[in-house]
Amino acid sequence: MQVRAKAGVSVTGLGATTPLGGDVPGTWEAMLGGRSGIGPIEEAWAQGLPVRIAGRMAADPAGVLGRVAARRLDRCQQAALVAAREAWADAGAPAVEPERLAVVIGTGVGGMLTTLGQDDLLEASGARRISPYTVPMMMPNGPAAVVSMELGARAGAHTPVSACASGAEAIAMGLDLIRLGRADVVVAGGAEACLHPLTFAGFAQAKALSRRNDAPAEASRPFDAARDGFVLAEGAALVVLESADFAAARGARAHATLAGAGVTSDAGHITAADSAGQVRAIRLALSSAGLTGADIGHVSAHATSTPLGDVTEAESISEAVGAHPAVTATKSMTGHLCGAAGALGAITTVLTLREGVIPATRNLNDLDPRVKLDVVTGRPRHGHWTAALTNAFGFGGHNACLLFTTPQSDGGR
């Protein structure tokens, strides 16, 4: 399974809108403060549902973009555009030829709110009431399309749709595009906005969601012995990737280096995770970066708070990396952003390396004895790490692992 190590790429821009904040600084500050972005759903449509808690974006993207622009975009697309603008500005708006700029934005379901909302309208009021923007708003490639048009990206606008691994897989694809010489700059990540009765009902029937309706802030409990499922959330997270030469030539600041990535598929159960596939993804990321498990000081775990998934991932980390890295699970605060989750994990991993601090896992009162990891809890942990991993796994057996190092770092070797 050896993969020849290749040059990493610079991470020069970060952008996000999440249940903890409308941008990256706000989200990061809330994480370090151990705050929860989970709250009750109080609208009438949720009252008959078995699950009535979620992680809504802290800042309504329609309010940020303006009502006129927002009317033509699904909420998922709105979130992506907000995150893209922040990431692009954070990178210093690189002066890159349009034919050398690409966009890769993954999603789990894309414009689901538009699809279901317009279908309800069709049944209630007839075809003449349907919005002429329905199809562009419901397309899964909508977020990538609107961001590519916003930035004038003509080297490709791609959309990995791999459930909860989508955002991380998009970043892995961005790495490949630059390494293959198809682009100098790539805006990559994930977006999701699917808080709808059908989603809650479907996940609840699969017994995947926490039912702690009376204690929303305590519901997401990764690695805790009393966890009972994940909390559905929404948002977007994007990074700007640049070839090291391009970034250096323009004097860009690099938050971190994306040194490697691993993407695998289980070809097994549609919902149950497979440790073997996860281990392969982690090892591929290590190999592509030219590092070993001993070089990794931190892991941002996928850890959604499901009874089976958290243990499976803990076993995978232990086998592929070892028990020494400091591990965190930020979904304890944000909930599960599905298609955007892996990209948000990437951003928090980059910030951990840059700032030298790991956010603590919230709600971890009783570590599951089967989890043989050093999970950061209680308060943030300060230190110096030169290499870190972030994991993202999705229904359908999708596994994606990203490896980041400090800028110009050799991983501590």
Side-chain angles (χ1 to χ4, degrees), residues 3-408:
V3 174
R4 190 183 203 172
K6 299 180 181 179
V9 305
S10 298
V11 181
T12 60
L14 307 174
T17 179
T18 77
L20 291 176
D23 55 18
V24 170
T27 298
W28 182 241
E29 180 183 4
M31 278 188 182
L32 294 181
R35 298 201 290 271
S36 173
I38 310 304
I41 305 173
E42 298 176 337
E43 288 86 346
W45 60 259
Q47 298 314 302
L49 296 173
V51 175
R52 299 180 299 281
I53 54 175
R56 281 187 162 137
M57 283 182 272
D60 184 358
V64 176
L65 299 174
R67 290 185 176 274
V68 175
R71 284 182 60 189
R72 300 182 179 185
L73 301 172
D74 181 81
R75 188 171 173 85
C76 178
Q77 298 168 0
Q78 295 170 14
L81 193 53
V82 169
R85 288 178 178 177
E86 182 189 7
W88 194 247
D90 184 50
V96 56
E97 291 294 324
E99 291 75 17
R100 302 294 299 167
L101 171 62
V103 170
V104 190
I105 301 179
T107 186
V109 295
M112 179 178 179
L113 296 184
T114 293
T115 302
L116 296 174
Q118 290 295 299
D119 182 64
D120 288 344
L121 185 61
L122 175 66
E123 293 183 5
S125 304
R128 291 183 179 273
R129 295 298 303 277
I130 296 301
S131 168
Y133 300 104
T134 295
V135 173
M137 290 170 67
M138 64 189 279
M139 303 185 308
N141 63 304
V146 298
V147 171
S148 72
M149 290 184 282
E150 170 87 2
L151 302 177
R154 296 179 181 172
H158 306 278
T159 305
V161 179
S162 40
C164 304
S166 300
E169 190 169 328
I171 295 174
M173 186 175 181
L175 174 66
D176 287 344
L177 288 174
I178 292 175
R179 283 178 169 176
L180 291 170
R182 290 177 51 190
D184 294 318
V185 181
V186 180
V187 178
E192 201 79 89
C194 57
L195 303 185
H196 185 277
L198 180 61
T199 318
F200 285 102
F203 276 128
Q205 285 295 94
K207 302 188 185 304
L209 298 181
S210 171
R211 302 200 178 200
R212 296 175 185 265
N213 295 314
D214 57 340
E218 300 172 15
S220 185
R221 314 179 66 82
F223 299 128
D224 190 83
R227 66 191 182 280
D228 68 330
F230 70 83
V231 177
L232 196 62
E234 61 176 4
L238 300 176
V239 299
V240 176
L241 305 175
E242 301 185 37
S243 72
D245 290 343
F246 187 89
R250 72 180 190 89
R253 168 206 57 190
H255 296 291
T257 296
L258 175 57
V263 177
T264 65
S265 54
D266 297 340
H269 196 278
I270 193 68
T271 57
D274 178 5
S275 180
Q278 295 177 2
V279 168
R280 285 193 301 115
I282 296 170
R283 287 178 173 166
L284 283 170
L286 290 166
S287 182
S288 69
L291 301 179
T292 70
D295 297 311
I296 303 301
H298 167 57
V299 177
S300 178
H302 181 64
T304 63
S305 184
T306 60
L308 179 60
D310 287 10
V311 172
T312 300
E313 183 181 11
E315 293 171 349
S316 300
I317 294 170
S318 295
E319 180 178 346
V321 182
H324 63 277
V327 177
T328 194
T330 57
K331 291 182 183 66
S332 59
M333 294 171 278
T334 65
H336 191 1
L337 276 66
C338 298
L344 182 56
I347 287 177
T348 59
T349 303
V350 166
L351 291 173
T352 282
L353 292 177
R354 191 189 77 183
E355 302 297 323
V357 57
I358 301 173
T361 303
R362 184 183 167 94
N363 299 325
L364 181 47
N365 302 325
D366 182 15
L367 183 67
D368 189 315
R370 296 170 293 177
V371 175
K372 310 297 184 182
L373 298 173
D374 176 18
V375 183
V376 178
T377 187
R379 62 183 61 187
R381 183 178 301 180
H382 294 264
H384 176 67
W385 301 275
T386 58
L389 293 168
T390 185
N391 293 330
F393 311 124
F395 280 6
H398 301 280
N399 309 302
C401 180
L402 304 173
L403 194 157
F404 296 93
T405 63
T406 50
Q408 308 302 318

